[in-house]
Amino acid sequence: MISAVLLSLVPIFIAMLYELVQIMVGRGVYKDYIVSELVIILCGLFAVIIGFIESFQFTIPSQVLLLLFYSILIVSVIVVILVKKRELVVHNGSVDEFLEVFKRTLHEQNISYKLGKEGKTGSTIHYIIDDDTDVRIAWKSHFLNQDYQHTIQVQYSVGSIIEPFVPIMVDVLREKRMDRSFSRRVIVHGVALIFIGAVYSFLYHI
């Protein structure tokens, strides 16, 4: 079981470190393939599977486990990239603020939009852009900031009509965040990274 945990911690550490850098450098606004969530989910599933195998006392060489784990991880990431889905992530904001920037940008570029057939359901809104492009906007509350408590995730297809205008939205959203503090989020990420590193070091030397 320890071997599975060790294998899983490294990619999770890298994914969290990547997000921390993006929050600090990009003022909490960045474009991304939907990879970080995939990495964390796969690592968790792999740890459970290997733990289940080891509970039956099957002997699997560590080299084989390592090769299997990273092969699955790399193939999964490549599949996500080939699907050509992009995600715009906006930390430390509100959904109303984002929608105002989103709609104004489309209006300035003379791009039509309307609610999709899924409409607004809970914390997700489905839009149809220029009659043929699906855009899904989802948000979740975050306990670290009471004034701007939402993290917004916008999913769209690579090569769609909206893609050239995403950088415009990124610039506007970053400008709005110049006077906002990300210190609490950075501290939480930093503590989490230190904890993961300490757990890895402890288990490695057992």
Side-chain angles (χ1 to χ4, degrees):
M1 187 62 182
I2 290 178
S3 61
V5 175
L6 287 175
L7 287 170
S8 303
L9 285 178
V10 175
I12 291 177
F13 184 89
I14 294 173
M16 291 186 64
L17 182 62
Y18 169 76
E19 185 176 7
L20 176 60
V21 171
Q22 292 286 9
I23 290 173
M24 295 174 64
V25 175
R27 301 300 300 171
V29 183
Y30 54 93
K31 294 185 295 180
D32 188 21
Y33 284 104
I34 310 170
V35 172
S36 297
E37 295 90 343
L38 176 69
V39 168
I40 294 174
I41 291 171
L42 282 177
C43 290
L45 287 175
F46 191 81
V48 171
I49 292 170
I50 297 303
F52 180 77
I53 291 174
E54 290 185 353
S55 68
F56 283 91
Q57 299 182 343
F58 293 135
T59 56
I60 303 176
S62 58
Q63 295 88 345
V64 174
L65 286 175
L66 187 66
L67 178 62
L68 176 63
F69 176 72
Y70 281 102
S71 297
I72 294 174
L73 187 62
I74 291 171
V75 170
S76 300
V77 170
I78 291 174
V79 169
V80 169
I81 293 175
L82 290 178
V83 169
K84 295 186 176 180
K85 286 290 184 182
R86 277 279 198 170
E87 185 173 76
L88 173 63
V89 182
V90 182
H91 291 281
N92 208 351
S94 70
V95 64
D96 291 336
E97 176 188 69
F98 175 79
L99 289 176
E100 188 272 330
V101 173
F102 176 74
K103 293 177 180 179
R104 187 178 71 230
T105 301
L106 295 181
H107 178 74
E108 291 173 351
Q109 303 298 327
N110 294 317
I111 299 176
S112 62
Y113 64 91
K114 61 183 179 182
L115 280 176
K117 61 181 180 180
E118 299 173 19
K120 181 178 179 180
T121 56
S123 57
T124 304
I125 302 179
H126 175 215
Y127 281 107
I128 301 294
I129 310 297
D130 203 33
D131 294 330
D132 62 357
T133 299
D134 287 301
V135 174
R136 284 175 173 78
I137 302 171
W139 62 93
K140 57 186 177 182
S141 297
H142 203 288
F143 71 95
L144 289 177
N145 196 307
Q146 296 181 349
D147 297 326
Y148 300 97
Q149 63 178 354
H150 289 138
T151 296
I152 299 103
Q153 296 171 298
V154 186
Q155 293 185 10
Y156 59 95
S157 299
V158 174
S160 63
I161 190 171
I162 193 177
E163 188 178 22
F165 309 115
V166 170
I168 298 175
M169 288 188 279
V170 169
D171 290 341
V172 173
L173 291 166
R174 283 178 179 170
E175 184 66 28
K176 288 180 175 290
R177 280 155 181 72
M178 293 308 294
D179 60 347
R180 298 181 192 176
S181 173
F182 290 84
S183 58
R184 281 179 284 182
R185 190 180 297 274
V186 169
I187 289 172
V188 169
H189 273 73
V191 170
L193 289 171
I194 292 172
F195 176 76
I196 291 174
V199 171
Y200 183 90
S201 178
F202 173 77
L203 293 176
Y204 183 80
H205 290 95
I206 289 181

